[in-house]
Amino acid sequence: MAPERTSGDLRTAGIGRGLPVPVYVDGKEVQAFEGETVLAVLWASGDHTLHTTARTREPRGFFCGIGVCFDCLVTIDGIVNLRACLEPVRVGMKIKRQQDPGYTHAR
Amino acid sequence: MRTADICIIGGGLLGTATAYYAAKAGLKVVLVEERELASGTSGVAFGGVSLAIYSYASARVPKTYVELSKASLSLYQRAQQEIGPPLDLDAPGSIDPFYNEEDSARGLERCRGLQACGVPCEFIDYKQIKEIEPAVAPIAINAIYCPVDAHVTPMGVVWAFAKAARQMGAEILTNIRATSLISRGQRVVGVATSAGEIFASNVVCASGSGVPALAAGVGIQVPLDLARGQMFVTERIPPLLRTYVHNIKQTPSGTIVFGTTREPGVKDTTVTSVEGTHKMLKWASELIPALANVKLLRSWAGLRLLPPDGYPIIGRPEGVDGLLLAVMHRGVTLAPAVGGILTDLITDGKTALDISPYRLERFASSAVGAEAQETFYGT
């Protein structure tokens, strides 16, 4: 039987979670839970594009989930290119999906 | 055995720019490079093409030197039209910051001097710096802002000049070592190389640190100090810098490239050091605090060439015919001008730009070296 999902959220229902942790994703308040990574929060939202690439603006999601592939880069509290899979959520954290800086770098 | 009108030793910016202008003038050109193109100083340099930033903190920059730099910038612009990529000249302007009253006073004097030479630069205060480049911290109290200053990727420019020269018939030979100059009496007539002799009526020594030994073989002493310089590049970040701030620039791909240390007396100039890295990261992140959160990708080190008074050695040395020298510190800025000058000297016997202050013979007199004792800004 497929696991149940909470409404509007890809988290599996019926699993014990930590305390609620409010964070901001692209300016919108989102409820995360203590112990989750930023990647888990973004993935649970259903929008799997974490950033777009520098040259061709193609969407990228996560690949390895353990800090190796660098394909889950996001901006957190103004710092660019952080691996979402390695960052635990903190109260009030401001997470942004990145359009990678690249060859269209405008002056 | 090869013969040519001009044999150039050195496949860096000075060598390939000279090959380009000589081939364009219809000369038969052979260039020999010991390793690969841009494998020396040109492959490690920052890439500033600047009318306003000088490595030495001297208050006065000689008019002839400014004229050389201006001529070079114009030639770069023309070459970019003629050659196209990878000659990637970009002119976002430059900011040369000063951190204390004493530096500022000298900076103001330099700025006035540059303006008198027709350089469109301004002496600005921190408020104006902030308007142009918001990322700069108030440790910069004043700066010279030069809106026409440009930069290039030196390695790309070397390849661009080499390719264009080849298309005009120049022979560009790599992995061939020039072992000595061949002379007949008081005349240099060619170059002995690891792949045989090349005879040429003009031989250009543009191989940087290799020049003194080659020239010494025909009795010409070329004084040249060597130092190590360390350079750094970060990950790609969103647009942060529009101009280049002394030796800190953002490339079109979004990386930040910066440097450089100046370490005389270091034997191995190809390795970086923890101390040098720490010093440069500290300076860069104090001047541009946003860099503190940016990840360093890579660093490298290379040679910095320093003629004892800081100024170039260009042209024909006295006492030997057939030999031309091109040895200098700001080779990236000056390469097209020097290439044009050497070509003029060969084809016309004279050149429009005044290069008399840059003769080798100036070192025979005393009063040399005072300028070189002064410190570099920011490093």
Side-chain angles (χ1 to χ4, degrees), chain B residues 69 78 179 231 234 241 342 373:
Chain B
S69 305
R78 201 183 307 164
T179 51
M231 293 283 301
T234 72
L241 298 176
L342 297 183
Q373 302 308 314

Side-chain angles (χ1 to χ4, degrees), chain B residues 14 23 29-30 56 68 79 103 118 121 138 151 162 171 182 236 242 244 253 267 274 278 307 320-321 333 355 365 374:
Chain B
L14 290 163
V29 179
V30 177
Y56 297 103
L68 276 182
D103 281 353
C121 57
H151 65 81
E171 273 191 279
I182 305 168
R236 289 173 184 167
R242 186 174 64 82
Y244 58 100
S253 66
K267 285 244 159 48
V274 172
H278 184 257
V320 178
D321 293 329
T333 293
I355 56 163
S365 58
E374 298 189 46

Side-chain angles (χ1 to χ4, degrees), chain B residues 235-251:
Chain B
E235 63 183 337
R236 289 173 184 167
I237 60 168
L240 178 72
L241 298 176
R242 186 174 64 82
T243 62
Y244 58 100
V245 181
H246 195 77
N247 272 1
I248 306 176
K249 71 178 178 184
Q250 187 162 25
T251 67

Side-chain angles (χ1 to χ4, degrees), chain B residues 27-285:
Chain B
L27 298 175
K28 188 179 177 203
V29 179
V30 177
L31 181 150
V32 287
E33 159 58 44
E34 183 179 355
R35 292 176 287 167
E36 298 295 338
L37 294 178
S39 58
T41 306
S42 300
V44 297
F46 174 75
V49 178
S50 177
L51 306 186
I53 298 178
Y54 296 86
S55 299
Y56 297 103
S58 63
R60 293 187 188 84
V61 181
K63 188 170 194 304
T64 51
Y65 199 42
V66 179
E67 291 303 327
L68 276 182
S69 305
K70 282 163 68 179
S72 219
L73 179 58
S74 305
L75 286 172
Y76 263 122
Q77 287 159 344
R78 201 183 307 164
Q80 189 177 35
Q81 301 290 317
E82 291 165 353
I83 302 174
L87 203 167
D88 60 349
L89 186 80
D90 185 21
S94 73
I95 289 177
D96 195 8
F98 307 112
Y99 310 103
N100 58 55
E101 295 297 335
E102 191 193 335
D103 281 353
S104 277
R106 291 205 290 185
L108 177 60
E109 193 181 343
R110 168 149 57 96
C111 189
R112 296 282 173 265
L114 292 170
Q115 287 166 341
C117 297
V119 176
C121 57
E122 292 170 63
F123 192 76
I124 59 177
D125 61 17
Y126 179 68
K127 192 165 160 269
Q128 293 163 301
I129 295 173
K130 186 102 179 150
E131 280 165 22
I132 298 163
E133 209 58 280
V136 175
I139 64 162
I141 58 173
N142 290 108
I144 295 176
Y145 171 53
C146 183
V148 300
D149 266 4
H151 65 81
V152 293
T153 306
M155 196 178 281
V157 177
V158 168
W159 282 88
F161 276 134
K163 186 180 169 192
R166 275 182 175 134
Q167 284 168 349
M168 292 185 288
E171 273 191 279
I172 310 264
L173 309 172
T174 56
N175 294 298
I176 291 180
R177 178 178 161 77
T179 51
S180 64
L181 304 178
I182 305 168
S183 55
R184 299 275 183 271
Q186 289 305 102
R187 184 166 186 88
V188 171
V189 295
V191 181
T193 79
S194 54
E197 294 173 326
I198 299 166
F199 287 92
S201 39
N202 298 279
V203 173
V204 173
C205 286
S207 50
S209 60
V211 174
L214 285 169
V218 293
I220 301 290
Q221 304 309 317
V222 177
L224 185 61
D225 298 331
L226 306 177
R228 177 172 71 177
Q230 300 183 45
M231 293 283 301
F232 307 87
V233 62
T234 72
E235 63 183 337
R236 289 173 184 167
I237 60 168
L240 178 72
L241 298 176
R242 186 174 64 82
T243 62
Y244 58 100
V245 181
H246 195 77
N247 272 1
I248 306 176
K249 71 178 178 184
Q250 187 162 25
T251 67
S253 66
T255 61
I256 305 282
V257 172
F258 64 100
T260 162
T261 58
R262 177 198 179 204
E263 303 160 90
V266 176
K267 285 244 159 48
D268 189 349
T269 55
T270 61
V271 295
T272 56
S273 71
V274 172
E275 298 74 31
T277 304
H278 184 257
K279 184 179 164 191
M280 294 310 299
L281 296 188
K282 186 168 181 294
W283 167 67
S285 57

